[in-house]
Amino acid sequence: MSDPATPPRSLAEDLRVRDDASLTVLLRSRPDLITPVPTDLTQLATRAGTRASVVRALERLDRFALQTAEALAVAADPATYDELLALMAGDEGDPAVTGALPHALGTLREQALVWGADDRLRLVRTARELLTPSPQHPSPTGLGPTVQEATAGMSPGRIQEIVTTAGLPSTHDAVSAVSALTALFTDRTRMSALLADVPEESREVLARLVWGPPYGQVTADPAAHLRRLLDRGLLLPTAPGTVVLPREVALHLRSGRAHRATEPLPPPVEPAATHSPQVVDTTAAGQAYTALATVEELLKDWHEGGPAVLRAGGLSVRDLKRTAVALDVAEPVAAFWTELAYAAGLLASDGEADERFAATPAYDEWLEQPAAERWARLAESWLAATRTAGVVGGRDAKDRTLSALGPGLDRSAAPEVRHRVLTLLAGLPQGASPSPESVLARLRWERPLRGPQRDDDLRARLARWTLNEAELLGVTGRGALSAHGRALLGAPGAGPGGKPTGGRGRSTGPSATGPTATTGPTTPTGPTATAARAASAASAASAVTTHGAATAASTPPGAASTGPGDKLPVHHEHPRPAGPPEPLSAAEQAVASAAAARLLAPLLPEPLDHVLLQADLTAVAPGPLRRPLADTLGVLADVESKGGATVYRFTPGSVRRALDAGRSASDLHAFLAEHSRTPVPQPLAYLIDDVARRHGHLRVGAASAYVRCDDDSVLNEILADKRAAGLRLRRLAPTVLAAQADPAGLLEGLRAMGFAPAAESAEGDVLITRADAHRTPPRAAPEPVPDGPPTPDATLLAAAVRAIRAGDLASTTPRKPSGAAPAMTGGELPRTTSAETLATMQAAVLTGESLWIGYVNAEGSASQRVIAPVRVEGGFVTAYDHTADEVRTYPLHRITGVAELADDQV
């Protein structure tokens, strides 16, 4: 076991002296480390240093933490805290950097990217390899190689010439010469004198290279001002025709700064406009109602079977255009509504041979719910969906067009970006709408790109799409987060009219206007902790034991944890800005959605049970209609215009459609008289009676198809009409015509000629057709594609830490040598005979001692365990297993060997 008072020599030793709270923070921030759970801390450290895991951790750092890691990558290994502070704040110092650096360093420590005490800070090797400047991978710092690295291939004679020209005494070897040159370049006074001796033209060359890139091109015979720089080592050759500015020279010219501009504080999200909370909520509610109406209209248009599914999956470009025209929206917006319905489980493919998109049975259940609950389901599905409508029309990795409802639309970062954007909006005053640029700037600070910064990176596009989609869906109104939008996030906010409501009791992250929020107790600053620990190692060791309990006792319920124990002094000795809130769990999201629905319900218009009939064969619905009225009116009339009021128009075709659905003329008259606030106009009554009188006069059946009519003059008229030539009719009897077209084609052809035929069954009964017939089999909503391993819950974290601790105890605890055998080291399975194993087990039962055993399970996997035997009988040993933290029974024949723990470990 590692001694807490001894500086760690590796990341594994550093992890070994951390407390359970620190390990819990590490595993929560890097969940890939426990997939699967490591057997011990050595394996955990190895896994934490793998390239894939380190890259993932670096990509999740904020900009200042990443700049801190980049500064450590160009510092000495190991570096002191003061050296790191000098690289971040420069010679002049920066109070903001000085105050923020302890938290940034604490973040790197808690994620096992940095280890060691303040006087020996080390960046993990893989992170150093990723962040160290090289010609192939320039560093964001713009620094080049050190003098030692740049002169690695240079001849000793040339190095001595540079040393002499720089005014230094010659040395006996190249190593000491490079050391002398490095000492010169890092001495501020002597370096200033050396630079004062070169002409202005030479200093201009250095100024062009100082902030990067540090490489430049020279000719075989450089100019005099370049020659002076080369002779003094202020520029060093790296390849024929290429020179580089040494890191030490660049740092002097930069006044010690590793970065041109450090960003210790997140940029504030600034309000662009402020509106009344009532106006915001009302506007958002109007958009929410429009969203519900649009989704209903989309699926109603696909009632009888929607567009065909492409062979590769998805909706064709032509069908997407048709959908956009039907919804009266742009194509990207139509793609959003179709993807939203699909994410909510309301839309899917039917799985038939000629596969088509159609509504699912869940759509019918959704229609029966109150409007506010229907909106909450759409909004909740949108928040969690990884399918991203914004990429529709783009190209995939194989240069294929991405189709709506097709494959390749999942973007794992989408839910996290949506949640973060809305959380930033929730941090603004109620009614305030931010400028998109400030939101994007904040997101870029929280998750910067390690390469060149671009305005069109995926996270920036996701953020812009989130702002637009939230407005379309009614989560925001006029760019500001509504009351029901705040409730959907589970954030404390306000009810309708600005009345305060409670949140879910979690931290909502740093204020959107500044990172001033702090949590947990505060103690003296980081650099002083090193001296304090050096003065009292015993006190430090005591803190390891008591920190966890003290933190738990001093932290109020619901407050953020103060982090790891005393081995991370910089991490917890400063006020820590609260981080972004975690997304809600499934149960919490269900509660938040119900709360959002309750807030939205009073803002939605109440459904009406009446319309206003007008003499021009139209009906005006002054608001949303109740479901039965809307369904019947949708069959009886065609929608002419939508908006605050919907205008329906009655036509012969629409009236015939109602008659085909099984309504009689008297039913239609009664329906209109019951639901109209105005008398039924005479033209409308005449239209219904006239269409009903002619409806069903002709009967169409299957012969292939036939037409029969009691009035042979009507059949004569059909035969004489040139438009009937395509139906290829012939008379079978005075009242019967046969056709070579199918019944559906025959019906359409006769209706196009102005007749009102009715389909009949084989028994001669009129067939009633309804428009809402086609549904897919039951379909589940698409599962989001996770962005890496899910964040483990507290139970899993506690179990994982316990298992790692126990496994590490089994692998590192010293053992007594068995007989003449040499002492065993951790990692070796003990080997003893069956008789020795049994005798040792029985003795341990009597003495109550713990033993170290090697065990092979039924699958053949070998492991090491520390157990306290309780009973040995019948070929089994019952013991308390420190690894599993429970009493278990093991077959003796699967125990490979046993060893007693050393006396100081008993």
Side-chain angles (χ1 to χ4, degrees):
M1 299 294 291
S2 298
D3 184 358
T6 303
R9 296 170 299 175
S10 65
L11 178 59
E13 290 188 4
D14 185 86
L15 295 177
R16 197 161 283 126
V17 297
R18 295 191 185 190
D19 59 12
D20 289 353
S22 176
L23 292 182
T24 300
V25 172
L26 168 61
L27 298 181
R28 181 184 291 113
S29 60
R30 296 177 66 178
D32 56 299
L33 299 183
I34 56 171
T35 310
V37 177
T39 58
D40 54 30
L41 288 170
T42 300
Q43 189 178 96
L44 175 63
T46 302
R47 193 177 296 175
T50 59
R51 184 180 181 88
S53 182
V54 170
V55 168
R56 180 180 175 83
L58 291 175
E59 288 176 346
R60 281 157 176 73
L61 295 175
D62 63 52
R63 177 160 293 166
F64 188 63
L66 183 59
Q67 286 182 331
T68 303
E70 292 166 350
L72 276 174
V74 298
D77 186 24
T80 65
Y81 182 89
D82 292 336
E83 291 172 350
L84 175 62
L85 179 60
L87 285 171
M88 297 299 295
D91 296 341
E92 300 85 2
D94 186 337
V97 171
T98 303
L101 184 59
H103 172 236
L105 185 57
T107 299
L108 297 175
R109 273 176 161 150
E110 75 176 18
Q111 297 195 25
L113 295 172
V114 169
W115 58 275
D118 287 345
D119 56 346
R120 292 184 64 83
L121 296 173
R122 290 183 183 272
L123 196 64
V124 295
R125 184 177 60 182
T126 307
R128 179 172 288 275
E129 292 172 354
L130 290 169
L131 299 177
T132 298
S134 68
Q136 295 77 23
H137 303 285
S139 168
T141 61
L143 293 171
T146 62
V147 172
Q148 182 180 358
E149 294 168 346
T151 58
M154 190 177 296
S155 66
R158 177 56 182 159
I159 295 177
Q160 293 294 340
E161 291 177 4
I162 294 175
V163 168
T164 304
T165 308
L168 298 174
S170 60
T171 63
H172 297 289
D173 57 87
V175 174
S176 57
V178 170
S179 300
L181 195 61
T182 301
L184 170 64
F185 290 164
T186 54
D187 187 314
R188 291 285 188 266
T189 303
R190 291 193 294 162
M191 187 62 180
S192 299
L194 179 64
L195 289 173
D197 191 41
V198 299
E200 182 63 28
E201 289 179 304
S202 300
R203 290 196 290 269
E204 289 178 0
V205 172
L206 298 179
R208 288 197 295 268
L209 299 177
V210 65
W211 293 110
Y215 295 91
Q217 301 295 319
V218 295
T219 62
D221 184 18
H225 64 283
L226 293 176
R227 173 57 63 187
R228 293 181 70 90
L229 297 176
L230 291 168
D231 290 343
R232 287 161 176 75
L234 299 175
L235 290 180
L236 293 173
T238 59
T242 303
V243 295
V244 66
L245 181 67
R247 186 180 304 172
E248 293 84 354
V249 177
L251 287 174
H252 174 84
L253 295 172
R254 297 177 177 195
S255 298
R257 285 183 176 269
H259 295 85
R260 189 166 198 166
T262 52
E263 300 182 56
L265 301 178
V269 178
E270 300 173 349
T274 303
H275 311 279
S276 166
Q278 294 91 337
V279 172
V280 170
D281 293 345
T282 303
T283 304
Q287 285 297 120
Y289 170 73
T290 302
L292 294 176
T294 304
V295 172
E296 289 181 35
E297 184 178 357
L298 168 68
L299 295 177
K300 187 179 294 183
D301 189 47
W302 292 2
H303 259 329
E304 299 180 6
V309 180
L310 294 173
R311 188 187 314 175
L315 200 64
S316 68
V317 175
R318 179 177 56 186
D319 288 328
L320 181 60
K321 289 182 178 179
R322 289 175 179 172
T323 301
V325 171
L327 299 179
D328 194 22
V329 296
E331 290 177 35
V333 179
F336 167 69
W337 293 122
T338 55
E339 284 292 339
L340 179 62
Y342 180 58
L346 309 179
L347 172 66
S349 60
D350 58 13
E352 301 292 338
D354 53 341
E355 197 171 14
R356 310 185 77 82
F357 289 108
T360 64
Y363 170 65
D364 299 312
E365 301 172 4
W366 180 74
L367 285 177
E368 299 302 321
Q369 296 175 342
E373 294 182 14
R374 285 187 280 136
W375 177 86
R377 177 170 177 176
L378 293 179
E380 184 178 341
S381 301
W382 171 71
L383 270 180
T386 55
R387 292 184 61 84
T388 308
V391 301
V392 171
R395 296 280 178 173
D396 63 8
K398 297 182 179 180
D399 201 36
R400 295 175 299 192
T401 302
L402 296 172
S403 304
L405 302 179
L409 300 187
D410 286 291
R411 299 295 181 270
S412 299
E416 185 265 331
V417 173
R418 291 193 194 106
H419 186 270
R420 187 58 187 139
V421 169
L422 296 181
T423 302
L424 290 176
L425 267 61
L428 293 173
Q430 296 169 20
S433 59
S435 61
E437 293 75 17
S438 65
V439 173
L440 295 178
R442 179 63 168 266
L443 291 178
R444 281 193 289 267
W445 187 90
E446 293 180 347
R447 289 283 185 87
L449 297 174
R450 289 198 298 115
Q453 301 295 315
R454 302 191 309 271
D455 293 333
D456 62 341
D457 63 282
L458 178 60
R459 288 180 63 85
R461 288 183 291 152
L462 287 172
R464 293 190 186 96
W465 294 332
T466 296
L467 293 172
N468 294 333
E469 292 168 0
E471 194 76 16
L472 286 174
L473 195 52
V475 177
T476 60
R478 300 196 177 186
L481 192 64
S482 62
H484 49 274
R486 292 176 186 270
L488 185 69
L489 296 175
K499 299 178 181 179
T501 64
R504 57 170 169 157
R506 287 189 180 186
S507 167
T508 56
S511 168
T513 57
T516 58
T518 62
T519 60
T522 62
T523 54
T525 58
T528 61
T530 303
R533 284 196 309 279
S536 179
S539 174
S542 173
V544 175
T545 306
T546 62
H547 175 83
T551 301
S554 62
T555 303
S561 171
T562 55
D566 79 307
K567 290 304 169 182
L568 302 182
V570 177
H571 174 73
H572 73 276
E573 291 177 353
H574 278 262
R576 298 198 56 183
E582 297 178 1
L584 301 177
S585 65
E588 290 172 331
Q589 187 61 68
V591 173
S593 298
R598 288 194 297 271
L599 290 175
L600 177 62
L603 302 175
L604 294 175
E606 287 291 332
L608 304 176
D609 63 350
H610 65 272
V611 294
L612 306 176
L613 295 177
Q614 303 187 104
D616 60 349
L617 298 181
T618 60
V620 177
L625 300 177
R626 291 183 177 177
R627 179 66 49 204
L629 174 57
D631 291 344
T632 303
L633 194 61
V635 175
L636 180 58
D638 298 323
V639 176
E640 188 170 77
S641 64
K642 294 177 292 185
T646 304
V647 178
Y648 295 85
R649 177 164 295 280
F650 300 94
T651 64
S654 66
V655 174
R656 176 195 53 74
R657 188 169 61 233
L659 296 173
D660 286 344
R663 299 280 186 142
S664 64
S666 59
D667 293 338
L668 298 181
H669 285 300
F671 169 79
L672 294 174
E674 178 185 358
H675 293 288
S676 176
R677 289 290 178 88
T678 58
V680 179
Q682 193 176 50
L684 179 56
Y686 284 170
L687 174 66
I688 294 173
D689 292 337
D690 182 58
V691 175
R693 184 172 55 254
R694 295 184 293 113
H695 183 262
H697 196 49
L698 294 177
R699 300 291 185 88
V700 174
S704 297
Y706 63 84
V707 182
R708 69 180 181 88
C709 182
D710 294 337
D711 188 352
D712 59 353
S713 64
V714 175
L715 298 183
N716 292 332
E717 181 182 351
I718 292 173
L719 288 172
D721 197 319
K722 293 181 179 180
R723 291 173 294 177
L727 302 177
R728 303 177 68 180
L729 298 169
R730 61 188 180 88
R731 189 186 293 273
L732 297 181
T735 58
V736 179
L737 298 179
Q740 296 186 18
D742 61 273
L746 183 56
L747 282 169
E748 292 299 324
L750 293 176
R751 287 167 182 167
M753 294 167 60
F755 297 96
E760 69 177 10
S761 65
E763 291 76 19
D765 300 323
V766 175
L767 292 175
I768 297 175
T769 58
R770 302 187 185 274
D772 56 349
H774 192 66
R775 289 290 182 270
T776 70
R779 293 278 193 268
E783 289 290 334
V785 177
D787 185 18
T791 302
D793 58 21
T795 303
L796 176 58
L797 287 171
V801 170
R802 187 169 61 249
I804 294 171
R805 288 286 192 200
D808 196 62
L809 175 65
S811 63
T812 60
T813 301
R815 294 79 162 173
K816 290 181 180 179
S818 178
M824 292 166 289
T825 60
E828 296 181 3
L829 288 178
R831 297 289 179 180
T832 56
T833 64
S834 300
E836 290 173 335
T837 298
L838 180 59
T840 307
M841 289 287 184
Q842 291 172 337
V845 170
L846 296 176
T847 61
E849 294 181 349
S850 295
L851 301 175
W852 177 59
I853 67 170
Y855 182 74
V856 179
N857 62 15
E859 287 75 30
S861 299
S863 61
Q864 305 172 41
R865 300 171 182 270
V866 175
I867 65 172
V870 177
R871 185 174 59 254
V872 179
E873 61 182 6
F876 292 87
V877 56
T878 302
Y880 175 75
D881 188 337
H882 292 273
T883 305
D885 196 21
E886 63 183 9
V887 176
R888 289 186 173 183
T889 300
Y890 297 99
L892 285 172
H893 69 275
R894 293 195 177 276
I895 297 177
T896 63
V898 61
E900 298 179 26
L901 302 183
D903 292 336
D904 60 345
Q905 300 296 324
V906 177

